[in-house]
Amino acid sequence: MKPTDTPRSLRPSIPARTLTIAVLVIVLAYMLSPVYWLIVSSTKSNSDLLTTSGWWFSGRNSFSTNYSALMSWTQGLFWRWILNSLLYSSVAGVLGTLLSVSAGYGLAKFEFAGRGAVQVVILSGLLMPIALLTIPLYLVLDAVHLTNTVWSIILPCSVSPFGVFLGRVYADSSVPNEIIDSARIDGASEIRIFFTIVLRLLAPAMVTIFLFIFVATWNNFFLPLMTINSAELKPVTLGLYGMSTYFNPQYGALLQGALLGVIPLIGLFLGLQRFWQSGLAAGAVKG
C-alpha cells in the first residue's frame, strides 16, 4: 500500500507532520554535532583550539601537521592499532555471535534440567557491570598465560550475556517448531538443522548481535589496559589514551586520531544498516 492509499482518518495532520519533522531534524543535529565538532577540531592546532570557535574552521588548516604529529608520537603504529582493533572486534564478533545464537537456540527450543537457572544466570550477567569482572578475568588469563596476547581481548569479549539473551528471543520468535520437527522427521541431525536451517532464519538477528559485540569490543578499554603491555598489540582506544596522558600533547592530533578511529565503525553500520534494522525487528512479532 502506498502512503497516499492510507485512509484519510489515519493520515497525520499537517501540524503533526511538521512537528515530527522538526523534532527529528533537531535530534539529528544533536546526534551529529559531536562528529562535526570532531572534524572541525581535528584541523586545528592547540592555540587555534583555544582562540577560535569550536564550531567553525580556523583560518589555517593544520590537518596535515596534526597527522604528522600523530604518526610521530605513535611511532608509526597508529594504523597498526586500527588493524588490531579491527582484528579483535571482528574475531570476537564472529565467535560471540555463533556462541550467542547457539546458546540462545538451545535455551529456546530444548527442554533440559536447569534451563530456568541458566536463564537466570544469563539475566544476572546483564545486570553486572563489566568493570567488576575485569580483575577476575585478568587473574584467570594470567593463570593460563594468555595475558599480553590477542586472546586476552578476543576470548572475554566473545562471551556476551546480552547476545545470548537476544539469540534466545530471536530463536523463540523466528524459528518455527514445525520446521525443526519436519527436518527431524526427514532424518536431519541436530547439527545439520542448526547450520543449514536455523542460522539462515537467524541471519538478520545475527547481524544485530555481531554489531553489538563488535562495538563493545572496539570500545573496550579497561580490559586491554590490564592485559596488554606490548605497543604492537594495543587497540586504538588504548593507544590514544597513552597520547592523551602525554605531557603537553597535540590535542588536534589526538582528536584526529579519534576521528580516524571511529570511521571504521561508521562504515560498518552504514554497510550493515539494512540487515541490522531487519534484525532489530525480527524478535518483535511472534508467530
Side-chain angles (χ1 to χ4, degrees), residues 23-35 55:
V23 171
L24 290 177
V25 170
I26 293 174
V27 172
L28 178 64
Y30 175 78
M31 299 300 294
L32 293 181
S33 58
V35 179
W55 299 105

Side-chain angles (χ1 to χ4, degrees), residues 97-119 122 163-173 175 177 180 184 190-191 193-195 198-199 202 209:
T97 300
L98 289 176
L99 289 174
S100 296
V101 295
S102 300
Y105 169 72
L107 290 172
K109 299 301 180 181
F110 292 91
E111 296 287 345
F112 55 89
R115 175 186 176 187
V118 172
Q119 296 188 26
I122 293 174
V164 175
F165 174 76
L166 288 180
R168 185 189 67 81
V169 172
Y170 290 138
D172 190 42
S173 60
V175 181
N177 293 329
I180 299 176
R184 288 170 179 167
E190 296 295 338
I191 294 179
I193 292 174
F194 178 75
F195 283 101
V198 175
L199 289 186
L202 294 180
I209 298 173

Side-chain angles (χ1 to χ4, degrees), residues 243-263:
M243 187 176 184
S244 66
T245 59
Y246 181 68
F247 178 74
N248 192 27
Q250 295 291 327
Y251 291 106
L254 177 61
L255 293 173
Q256 185 179 121
L259 174 63
L260 296 175
V262 80
I263 288 178

Side-chain angles (χ1 to χ4, degrees), residues 252-276:
L254 177 61
L255 293 173
Q256 185 179 121
L259 174 63
L260 296 175
V262 80
I263 288 178
L265 289 179
I266 296 176
L268 182 68
F269 270 90
L270 292 178
L272 299 178
Q273 178 178 341
R274 175 167 57 92
F275 303 99
W276 179 51

Side-chain angles (χ1 to χ4, degrees), residues 62-79 81-82 236 239-240 243 250-261:
S62 301
F63 190 89
S64 59
T65 303
N66 290 338
Y67 182 79
S68 298
L70 178 65
M71 293 298 107
S72 175
W73 188 91
T74 60
Q75 299 179 351
L77 292 175
F78 175 77
W79 293 111
W81 296 341
I82 294 288
V236 66
L240 291 179
M243 187 176 184
Q250 295 291 327
Y251 291 106
L254 177 61
L255 293 173
Q256 185 179 121
L259 174 63
L260 296 175

Side-chain angles (χ1 to χ4, degrees), residues 151-162:
W151 299 110
S152 64
I153 299 177
I154 293 175
L155 291 180
C157 292
S158 299
V159 181
S160 173
F162 186 61

